[in-house]
Amino acid sequence: MKIVGKKELSSIIDLELFELDAKVDTGADSNALHCDDIKIENDVVHFTLLDDIHPSYHGKRMKMPLYKLKKVRSSNGQLQNRPSIKVTVEFMGKRYKSVITLTNRADMKLPMLIGRKFLSEKFLVDVSKEYLSKQ
């Protein structure tokens, strides 16, 4: 298994988001991505990648097939129904198919969260390290 730090770079190829700062969170079940104005129409999720703080967010209105609606307990303890999409993620030099939930993470420091399902059986987390993917 490969060792990762508590913060790493991740790219979502299908959304043209490259080298996003991501929090590696073993307490989170799934991956999550910050986006705004999330709407579901006819099994298609429409959302905007717009955030002044993160330059990778190009402001485009995106649409992806809805993978499924998922019940997720947010960091404040509330249960939410979140849309999820299936995308290709580049992480630690390799590409993986992954499911990502879409949510507003404007109050969070990093736009992406990497959860334990993605990490499972592939990575070990060393919380004393950061950005091992740059090495």
Side-chain angles (χ1 to χ4, degrees):
M1 283 197 254
K2 203 166 203 170
I3 296 175
V4 299
K6 64 182 175 184
K7 293 179 187 174
E8 291 295 345
L9 295 177
S10 179
S11 297
I12 305 173
I13 307 307
D14 309 79
L15 301 179
E16 299 175 8
L17 291 175
F18 303 104
E19 296 193 344
L20 280 178
D21 290 304
K23 176 183 179 184
V24 176
D25 188 349
T26 59
D29 186 49
S30 57
N31 299 340
L33 177 68
H34 169 60
C35 55
D36 296 314
D37 195 24
I38 305 164
K39 302 226 184 319
I40 302 169
E41 295 174 0
N42 302 321
D43 293 329
V44 175
V45 185
H46 301 262
F47 53 98
T48 303
L49 300 172
L50 180 61
D51 190 333
D52 295 336
I53 298 170
H54 307 291
S56 296
Y57 278 52
H58 38 60
K60 286 183 185 174
R61 185 80 177 146
M62 307 295 290
K63 64 180 180 178
M64 293 286 294
L66 174 68
Y67 179 69
K68 68 179 176 179
L69 279 174
K70 187 173 181 181
K71 285 191 189 302
V72 176
R73 189 164 307 276
S74 67
S75 59
N76 64 10
Q78 289 184 324
L79 205 56
Q80 300 174 333
N81 253 342
R82 291 185 189 168
S84 62
I85 57 175
K86 197 166 198 174
V87 293
T88 300
V89 173
E90 188 170 283
F91 187 72
M92 299 300 289
K94 286 191 172 182
R95 289 188 177 191
Y96 304 91
K97 277 290 186 190
S98 180
V99 175
I100 295 178
T101 62
L102 304 176
T103 187
N104 188 317
R105 291 181 48 82
D107 296 339
M108 306 299 174
K109 290 180 183 175
L110 301 177
M112 185 158 176
L113 186 122
I114 305 289
R116 69 177 171 268
K117 279 187 181 174
F118 180 81
L119 298 166
S120 181
E121 298 182 24
K122 296 185 286 275
F123 303 100
L124 291 174
V125 182
D126 182 342
V127 296
S128 70
K129 307 278 190 218
E130 291 184 356
Y131 299 109
L132 296 175
S133 57
K134 289 183 179 180
Q135 298 173 5

